[in-house]
Amino acid sequence: MAHAADPPRSLLFHDMRSDWVRLRTLLVLRWLAILGQTVTVVVASFVLGMRIELGLCFLAIGSSVLSNMIAMTVFPPNQRLHDWDAMLTLLFDLTQLAFLLFLTGGLSNPFALLILAPVTISASALTLRSTVILGAAAVMLISLVGYQNVPLRMADGTVIELPLLFRVGFWVAIVIGIVFLSLYARRVTKEIHTMSQALLATQAALAREQKLTDLGGVVAAAAHELGTPLATIKLVSTELAEELADHPDLAEDARLIRQQAERCRDIMRDMGRAGKDDLHMRAAPLGAVVREAAEPHMGRGPCVHLEFEPLEGGPEAQPVIHRRPEIIHGLRNLVQNAVDFAEKTVWIEGRWDGDIIHLRLTDDGPGYPPDLLGRLGDPFLRRRKSEREAAQRPEYEGMGLGLFIAKTLLERSGATVRFSNATDPFLLDEDSGTRRGAMVEVAWPAAHLQLDENEAKAPLGENRQISA
């Protein structure tokens, strides 16, 4: 079910690579390239004594200077480039560098390696289409430069040229570098972007749960504060009804006042239950917290069984734990996933001792796909629905974030989360037992989650004042 606080799909799946790059960033990189190219040409010509076509070299460098000056004049410094504009800018840099390599020995020039830079930038910041175009252009240009170029000569006319085998090897290395570095940079950037978008959704879900928690606390406090005036109204109206027995009309009005006061009390009590009457206390027994997390999904079809008992040597009483929104929302997502795929039953088992608090969620559904077990908890992990799933859950269209949000929020609370199947999914139903579906195990160190004795026995403090 969608909520107002949930992030829209357009926010999560919109490819923002089209406006990732600022013009100023590319201009600064180009100024650095211009400086490096100028120093290299000057040193090679005047210090090392090489015979270089200075006029054409400075013409190529001057084209970059002119391009930068025009861009700085026409566009504001914070201009963000669309994908096509950024691709054309990098293509210009690629062509200018290839022309300089053509004038300075081609593949015999060690600076030919710089042909990788524009393609790597594109793979990190632009779309796949732009990266493919720039990669193909880079391979074509470096091939042309390797085949035809102006050889480097010393002052005495000696030609500086690598043997053919080395030039071919250098060309192969550059082409492999273009492909490998592009794939590597794009893969890493995509994972970082995907993780940041998934964390955005996690923060939105946690913020929503926090708002609900705060609202429940306010409602509970309001119900407590209004209890005394409502009781007074009920008492006074009852006495008035008795004293006005000789005036039926007035007595009826008094009884109506009492009924409405009782109705207000019932409404406030129900609202307090919706937010859990003790939300503002921020602590509850383990079973109460787990039940609260599971409650929205307990009437959706499959039966949800809750079982709580201590581990061997553990205390009989359930541990009193902190009521954190990330714990409730994380467990709620796990319960929702179990209920969505269970056939008849979901089991939630709680165990504890002095060192650990352990929860296990098991269902009688088909279990996790074996090929995805190692990736469960990754963001945007989705799989096409089978015909059976489509028939059972025609309205369900997941975003691949449920288990990621649950795992992230629970790990934030100090838990360790492990996904597995209760039995081998390839076994027949009659050989698998009742609890044969997916299984999630969540374990906290007791010190991270449980209140110590002093906190558990501490007074609740003054009630919060509700201001008008």
Side-chain angles (χ1 to χ4, degrees):
M1 186 172 72
H3 300 279
D6 292 341
R9 286 174 179 260
S10 60
L11 176 64
L12 296 177
F13 295 107
H14 173 59
D15 189 357
M16 294 185 292
R17 290 173 182 263
S18 59
D19 54 4
W20 272 10
V21 182
R22 287 193 308 170
L23 176 62
R24 181 179 179 181
T25 302
L26 294 183
L27 294 184
V28 169
L29 293 176
R30 186 179 289 172
W31 281 123
L32 294 175
I34 290 170
L35 177 62
Q37 292 168 0
T38 303
V39 171
T40 303
V41 170
V42 170
V43 170
S45 179
F46 296 102
V47 177
L48 301 179
M50 294 182 178
R51 294 166 59 179
I52 297 176
E53 297 290 342
L54 290 179
L56 292 177
C57 286
F58 283 120
L59 176 64
I61 296 173
S63 66
S64 290
V65 174
L66 182 61
S67 174
N68 262 19
M69 298 299 294
I70 293 175
M72 292 174 64
T73 304
V74 174
F75 300 103
N78 60 348
Q79 174 76 23
R80 290 193 176 273
L81 298 178
H82 291 292
D83 178 72
W84 188 255
D85 298 329
M87 191 272 291
L88 292 177
T89 302
L90 292 174
L91 184 61
F92 172 84
D93 294 336
L94 196 64
T95 306
Q96 187 259 3
L97 177 60
F99 183 61
L100 277 177
L101 292 175
F102 167 78
L103 296 173
T104 55
L107 291 177
S108 296
N109 188 334
F111 290 100
L113 188 65
L114 294 176
I115 204 80
L116 297 171
V119 185
T120 305
I121 293 174
S122 174
S124 302
L126 303 184
T127 61
L128 179 61
R129 180 191 62 179
S130 298
T131 303
V132 170
I133 293 174
L134 285 172
V139 172
M140 181 185 68
L141 290 172
I142 201 65
S143 301
L144 292 175
V145 166
Y147 178 75
Q148 188 69 37
N149 57 77
V150 177
L152 286 172
R153 296 178 184 272
M154 298 301 293
D156 58 1
T158 304
V159 176
I160 303 174
E161 188 175 39
L162 291 174
L164 178 61
L165 181 61
F166 281 84
R167 280 182 284 147
V168 172
F170 196 18
W171 177 83
V172 172
I174 290 177
V175 171
I176 292 176
I178 289 173
V179 176
F180 174 76
L181 288 180
S182 298
L183 292 175
Y184 184 83
R186 184 165 186 83
R187 178 72 177 180
V188 172
T189 306
K190 183 179 179 181
E191 288 191 1
I192 293 174
H193 176 62
T194 300
M195 185 63 68
S196 65
Q197 295 298 91
L199 288 174
L200 173 64
T202 303
Q203 293 293 337
L206 182 58
R208 174 182 173 273
E209 189 67 28
Q210 184 66 57
K211 288 179 180 179
L212 292 177
T213 297
D214 294 341
L215 179 61
V218 171
V219 170
H224 178 77
E225 295 293 335
L226 291 175
T228 300
L230 288 175
T232 302
I233 294 173
K234 179 182 177 182
L235 177 62
V236 172
S237 59
T238 301
E239 293 178 351
L240 284 175
E242 293 176 354
E243 294 180 0
L244 295 174
D246 298 336
H247 300 78
D249 294 340
L250 297 177
E252 184 63 29
D253 291 341
R255 284 190 291 270
L256 179 61
I257 293 174
R258 182 182 63 186
Q259 292 173 0
Q260 294 304 310
E262 292 177 347
R263 184 184 176 193
C264 289
R265 181 198 61 190
D266 294 339
I267 291 173
M268 295 303 297
R269 180 183 301 167
D270 291 340
M271 291 177 66
R273 285 174 181 169
K276 298 299 173 188
D277 295 333
D278 61 341
L279 280 176
H280 57 297
M281 293 190 295
R282 307 296 180 185
L286 174 64
V289 175
V290 175
R291 181 176 293 276
E292 177 182 354
E295 193 170 19
H297 305 291
M298 295 181 73
R300 293 182 46 214
C303 180
V304 179
H305 285 292
L306 300 176
E307 303 173 7
F308 298 95
E309 62 181 31
L311 294 168
E312 184 177 355
E316 289 294 329
Q318 291 188 16
V320 178
I321 65 174
H322 294 284
R323 284 198 64 268
R324 297 175 183 168
E326 55 264 34
I327 295 175
I328 295 174
H329 196 83
L331 292 177
R332 184 168 296 163
N333 275 15
L334 294 180
V335 174
Q336 177 182 357
N337 188 74
V339 170
D340 284 340
F341 289 95
E343 293 185 359
K344 296 181 180 179
T345 311
V346 174
W347 295 269
I348 304 177
E349 304 168 77
R351 303 288 185 266
W352 64 88
D353 60 16
D355 299 321
I356 192 170
I357 297 175
H358 183 271
L359 284 178
R360 177 186 296 165
L361 289 82
T362 316
D363 61 66
D364 59 352
Y368 297 119
D371 58 313
L372 296 183
L373 266 178
R375 299 175 55 201
L376 290 175
D378 288 351
F380 302 109
L381 180 62
R382 293 186 293 172
R383 179 174 177 157
R384 294 182 62 182
K385 295 188 291 186
S386 64
E387 295 182 1
R388 176 183 179 183
E389 293 173 350
Q392 290 179 340
R393 311 162 73 210
E395 79 289 348
Y396 181 80
E397 183 62 33
M399 295 170 63
L401 284 174
L403 292 181
F404 169 79
I405 290 176
K407 186 172 184 290
T408 302
L409 293 179
L410 291 173
E411 287 179 346
R412 171 186 285 192
S413 70
T416 300
V417 183
R418 190 172 73 91
F419 301 97
S420 61
N421 284 317
T423 60
D424 191 336
F426 297 105
L427 292 177
L428 297 175
D429 289 350
E430 54 268 22
D431 299 328
S432 300
T434 306
R435 306 186 186 190
R436 59 180 179 271
M439 182 168 64
V440 187
E441 294 179 282
V442 186
W444 292 269
H448 280 66
L449 199 61
Q450 187 174 356
L451 274 68
D452 58 34
E453 294 184 2
N454 294 332
E455 289 178 314
K457 296 178 180 179
L460 298 179
E462 296 181 1
N463 291 326
R464 289 181 291 181
Q465 297 296 321
I466 307 299
S467 57

